[in-house]
Amino acid sequence: MLKGMESFSSKDLALKAQKKVLSRMASKTLAQLFIDDTSGEILDELYRVSKEFTGNKAESQKVLKNLIKIAVKIGVLYHHHKFNEQELSLAEDFKKKLRQGAMTAISFYEVEFTFEQSVMTELLTGCRDLLLKLVQSHLTPKSHGRINHVFNHFANEGLLTKLYGAEGPYRSHLRKICEGLNKLIDEGTL
């Protein structure tokens, strides 16, 4: 009986409880607590793009909820110093890849006729793969599924092609997303 008590950790229990509570509360209010205004605006535009592309409000809400849940859980893990040196190196690689993706997305928007869907898809799947490695031993398979769901959704060839189309309703969403990404890069957040 004593052996079982030795492995008990109230800190670990608190962390598990915190992740569980946060995963059930992925709402706009919770997002506002953990996500700055600019990121929130980008998320709103991503939701609008998803909703317009899928024609399915529930699916688009699920994608954004999953994105928020993952961001919050990773933030909690980082805050509690749960990543080892190798994982922190992966986190740094992820941040670099995400920044590269943001800069590429902006460049494709600003310079007409340069968009290459395969490049954006490769960047997004690269980010997904790094993130999955980072959280491999920290999050459940259900959370891994959420990561796949989010990145696969936004790496969709049809969605990217419509988003970067020269005309149409997606152009204003893309402009707002790129303005937000530029702001995050300028502030050093991304």
Side-chain angles (χ1 to χ4, degrees), residues 28 35-50 64 67-68 98 102 105-106 154 163 172-185 187 189-190:
K28 192 166 184 164
I35 299 171
D36 62 80
D37 289 342
T38 303
S39 299
E41 291 167 9
I42 293 169
L43 290 173
D44 287 345
E45 291 305 319
L46 288 173
Y47 166 75
R48 289 179 188 108
V49 166
S50 175
L64 267 290
L67 195 157
I68 292 166
L98 194 60
I106 293 165
F154 288 110
L163 182 61
S172 67
H173 300 308
L174 182 60
R175 178 183 50 80
K176 291 175 186 173
I177 290 167
C178 289
E179 286 171 355
L181 291 173
N182 257 328
K183 187 174 179 184
L184 291 178
I185 290 169
E187 293 170 348
T189 306
L190 186 62

Side-chain angles (χ1 to χ4, degrees), residues 1-147:
M1 196 66 143
L2 187 58
K3 188 174 183 176
M5 287 298 290
E6 289 173 9
S7 66
F8 177 79
S9 167
S10 58
K11 261 184 151 177
D12 287 344
L13 186 61
L15 178 64
K16 284 180 186 173
Q18 195 174 13
K19 287 191 317 190
K20 191 71 163 175
V21 167
L22 291 174
S23 73
R24 298 201 186 282
M25 295 173 51
S27 65
K28 192 166 184 164
T29 306
L30 180 68
Q32 289 170 344
L33 290 174
F34 288 97
I35 299 171
D36 62 80
D37 289 342
T38 303
S39 299
E41 291 167 9
I42 293 169
L43 290 173
D44 287 345
E45 291 305 319
L46 288 173
Y47 166 75
R48 289 179 188 108
V49 166
S50 175
K51 185 175 153 196
E52 201 156 316
F53 178 72
T54 64
N56 186 332
K57 181 180 175 181
E59 172 61 16
S60 299
Q61 287 174 341
K62 184 176 180 179
V63 169
L64 267 290
K65 251 186 188 181
N66 284 343
L67 195 157
I68 292 166
K69 284 180 180 182
I70 292 304
V72 168
K73 285 182 179 188
I74 291 169
V76 168
L77 290 168
Y78 183 78
H79 175 75
H80 287 281
H81 309 287
K82 292 298 179 182
F83 297 125
N84 63 33
E85 289 299 317
Q86 183 182 5
E87 291 166 336
L88 288 172
S89 178
L90 276 172
E92 207 45 49
D93 290 346
F94 171 76
K95 187 175 179 181
K96 287 176 187 170
K97 180 71 97 176
L98 194 60
R99 188 174 201 278
Q100 178 189 6
M103 291 170 58
T104 302
I106 293 165
S107 175
F108 284 157
Y109 167 72
E110 291 177 344
V111 183
E112 288 189 51
F113 308 110
T114 59
F115 172 68
E116 291 184 47
Q117 175 270 319
S118 62
V119 171
M120 283 306 301
T121 298
E122 186 179 316
L123 284 166
L124 288 167
T125 55
C127 285
R128 178 200 64 205
D129 294 345
L130 284 169
L131 194 55
L132 285 169
K133 283 181 190 174
L134 173 65
V135 301
Q136 183 176 5
S137 64
H138 298 283
L139 298 180
T140 65
K142 187 173 183 177
S143 291
H144 298 175
R146 286 185 176 116
I147 291 170

